[in-house]
Amino acid sequence: MKGYNIYPESKLEKNNKTYSLAQKDLKKYLLSDDPEFGPISELTHANANKLRKLFPHLNPVTCGIKRSFGFGDRLGLATPGHVKTLKGREIFPVFAQQSIREMERTGRSMQDVLDDAMWGVFQAGYRGGYGADIDHVKKEEDVIKACECGYTMFTIDPSDYVNDRAKDIVSIYGKAIEHIIRCYNLIQECVNPEQRRRVDFEASVDETTTPTTPEAHRFIVEKLRKAGVNFTSLALRFIGDFEKGIDYIGDIEVFKEQFLAHAAICREFGGYKLSIHSGSDKFSIYPIISEAAHGVFHIKTAGTNWLEAVRLISHKDPALYRSMHELALRSFEKDRKSYHVTTDLSKVPALDKLSDEKLPGLLNENNARQLMHITYGSILKDMREEIYKTLNLNEDEHYEMLKTHLGRHLSLAGICKKS
Ligand code: ZN
């Protein structure tokens, strides 16, 4: 097909028909000789569904209690880069992972997130199985919606029901656990019994103010088990600060001691893994997590992927970066409200004092990282088209940057390349 650049890895065949993904003028298309699609078709949801039926490996699957890693992709462009990151490493990837909060801010639907990951899997020719996590879902109606869309992992956030001011474990977590049980039962009802679709279920109490004590950990596990909740991962609030897009803040020795205690409880009960949220750039504690958890854990990242995209833009289109940065400064106060950050904007170097060459280096400075990390919604709302254009124009470099940066995450977590 003239003018269409086919991604060679994407080529699939079935019943003497061929299917591949191609790009023309920065837009992607499905090329096929199957009359079901026509020679050139757009990447619509209907086409995604038809393709899924033909090629089951394009569908997300459950992971169970193997170790896994969440590559939250806010833009829906990163999956081929994540596939590159995985090469030679043994880890179950969750390519579709977005929280309700992220989707509200990026203007994407649950379905968009699933479809984008699928097209990425198709483009990269990946066949190793991947998960789809509806992250930090709070409302029961959203649980049902995610179920209907085909998500395979459900991360229930009961923080609206956690009573942080209470003194005893029952009063702090009692209502939250009831909510988790309700959501679990809803999912069981929703999943078509004939298909017997299994799900990965995560209970998450990480977005609370008090660190989870070992006693609370035991209490939560016992209550959930007693109610028949077959959860595969548990996200606790660990000691110290897990701020967005920067390394761990706190006493690493204290973290280690606490994490070892939680990991021991997890092994004692068995049947689930610990899940570490806000895992972006927590380089100093990754080796501890890996060792203490005996190599079995789930880690979630999201913002760090977006920051790599921002870094690429600062290289390729400094003017665009400057307008994104200025908008971020204007939106910061409004956007920071639902994020846990201690950003000091006075420490972010003034843009007009920086030459274009210095811009990418800004993304190494914690305050600037957080500034760009949490204002993504406002930035995308205003500059979506330019941002996607720049990233699509430079997609190979985008993938390489993701591979390097996320590869560093995986290596530090002990998920190394086999030589
Ligand atoms: Zn979380």
Side-chain angles (χ1 to χ4, degrees):
M1 214 66 73
K2 219 178 144 215
Y4 290 85
N5 294 313
I6 290 178
Y7 295 90
E9 295 84 11
S10 71
K11 279 189 187 161
L12 290 173
E13 265 185 56
K14 191 162 191 175
N15 305 327
N16 293 321
K17 306 266 190 307
T18 60
Y19 309 81
S20 45
L21 197 79
Q23 197 229 81
K24 189 190 180 195
D25 301 329
L26 299 184
K27 206 176 159 198
K28 291 179 184 177
Y29 299 90
L30 170 66
L31 305 189
S32 175
D33 50 10
D34 181 345
E36 270 290 309
F37 292 93
I40 305 163
S41 36
E42 303 219 353
L43 306 191
T44 60
H45 175 55
N47 284 335
N49 270 348
K50 280 196 264 179
L51 207 63
R52 280 187 179 102
K53 288 216 175 78
L54 284 170
F55 299 102
H57 76 272
L58 297 177
N59 291 294
V61 291
T62 53
C63 167
I65 54 169
K66 291 193 296 279
R67 80 173 164 194
S68 45
F69 195 91
F71 296 90
D73 173 14
R74 289 178 178 163
L75 297 164
L77 299 175
T79 298
H82 294 149
V83 169
K84 275 182 191 274
T85 314
L86 288 177
K87 206 152 191 213
R89 303 179 196 259
E90 221 171 279
I91 183 85
F92 179 89
V94 178
F95 290 142
Q97 173 217 290
Q98 289 287 276
S99 64
I100 304 291
R101 175 174 62 191
E102 283 175 308
M103 288 185 281
E104 276 166 4
R105 294 189 177 192
T106 53
R108 298 166 78 207
S109 69
M110 289 185 194
Q111 198 63 65
D112 293 337
V113 172
L114 278 186
D115 289 353
D116 289 341
M118 189 215 80
W119 291 117
V121 164
F122 175 45
Q123 178 185 317
Y126 178 75
R127 289 173 164 273
Y130 71 98
D133 177 11
I134 188 74
D135 192 16
H136 275 279
V137 59
K138 293 185 175 187
K139 291 192 203 135
E140 291 167 40
E141 66 210 60
D142 287 333
V143 170
I144 297 172
K145 231 201 267 170
C147 219
E148 288 166 351
C149 282
Y151 278 81
T152 54
M153 176 168 173
F154 295 78
T155 300
I156 307 299
D157 176 354
S159 52
D160 293 345
Y161 300 88
V162 174
N163 182 1
D164 269 316
R165 273 163 306 182
K167 291 274 174 284
D168 62 295
I169 292 173
V170 184
S171 316
I172 300 173
Y173 297 104
K175 290 246 174 336
I177 292 172
E178 282 169 26
H179 179 69
I180 295 170
I181 296 168
R182 270 200 304 279
C183 291
Y184 181 78
N185 290 334
L186 265 181
I187 295 166
Q188 297 307 306
E189 276 169 37
C190 238
V191 174
N192 182 346
E194 279 162 47
Q195 288 182 326
R196 291 177 172 274
R197 215 178 91 202
R198 281 188 311 158
V199 298
D200 292 323
F201 188 84
E202 177 164 316
S204 110
V205 292
D206 66 305
E207 294 208 354
T208 56
T209 47
T210 12
T212 321
T213 60
E215 296 71 35
H217 180 169
R218 283 180 192 282
F219 175 77
I220 294 168
V221 172
E222 278 163 4
K223 284 282 174 199
L224 292 177
R225 288 262 160 99
K226 208 168 157 210
V229 175
N230 182 15
F231 59 98
T232 42
S233 49
L234 182 62
L236 307 172
R237 163 76 164 88
F238 297 109
I239 202 155
D241 282 313
F242 286 72
E243 291 197 15
K244 299 291 173 186
I246 61 173
D247 206 340
Y248 176 77
I249 302 172
D251 186 328
I252 291 187
E253 283 309 311
V254 177
F255 172 80
K256 187 174 178 179
E257 198 181 302
Q258 284 263 316
F259 193 83
L260 275 167
H262 285 300
I265 295 171
C266 180
R267 270 196 301 282
E268 183 190 315
F269 281 108
Y272 68 99
K273 56 197 164 186
L274 291 176
S275 175
I276 294 88
H277 288 202
S278 301
S280 290
D281 307 280
K282 301 297 176 291
F283 298 124
S284 63
I285 55 169
Y286 270 25
I288 297 170
I289 291 169
S290 177
E291 203 189 313
H294 294 196
V296 186
F297 48 77
H298 180 59
I299 292 179
K300 297 195 193 203
T301 64
T304 205
N305 295 284
W306 154 252
L307 286 175
E308 285 308 293
V310 175
R311 192 194 294 274
L312 179 65
I313 292 169
S314 73
H315 271 290
K316 297 289 172 186
D317 191 343
L320 174 58
Y321 176 79
R322 286 177 191 274
S323 7
M324 289 164 70
H325 188 110
E326 277 158 17
L327 179 68
L329 286 172
R330 291 198 298 277
S331 323
F332 185 75
E333 277 317 310
K334 165 175 69 70
D335 288 341
R336 76 174 301 169
K337 291 201 175 81
S338 60
Y339 279 105
H340 174 58
V341 287
T342 51
T343 318
D344 182 352
L345 288 185
S346 72
K347 294 203 173 119
V348 179
L351 270 194
D352 51 10
K353 302 244 163 35
L354 291 178
S355 64
D356 284 353
E357 293 70 39
K358 290 265 163 66
L359 293 178
L362 261 181
L363 274 310
N364 297 330
E365 200 277 321
N366 283 349
N367 294 286
R369 283 183 77 75
Q370 292 195 326
L371 165 70
M372 300 309 284
H373 185 299
I374 63 165
T375 51
Y376 61 97
S378 304
I379 294 174
L380 281 169
K381 213 168 167 191
D382 260 42
M383 293 171 226
R384 176 181 304 268
E385 229 169 278
E386 300 95 297
I387 289 171
Y388 275 80
K389 192 176 160 200
T390 306
L391 296 173
N392 282 325
L393 253 174
N394 301 285
E395 70 172 356
D396 287 336
E397 275 165 277
H398 186 203
Y399 300 153
E400 277 307 310
M401 285 173 78
L402 289 168
K403 181 182 152 192
T404 305
H405 189 62
L406 274 302
R408 185 178 171 209
H409 282 73
L410 294 182
S411 294
L412 283 168
I415 307 154
C416 298
K417 282 202 165 190
K418 280 169 276 168
S419 50

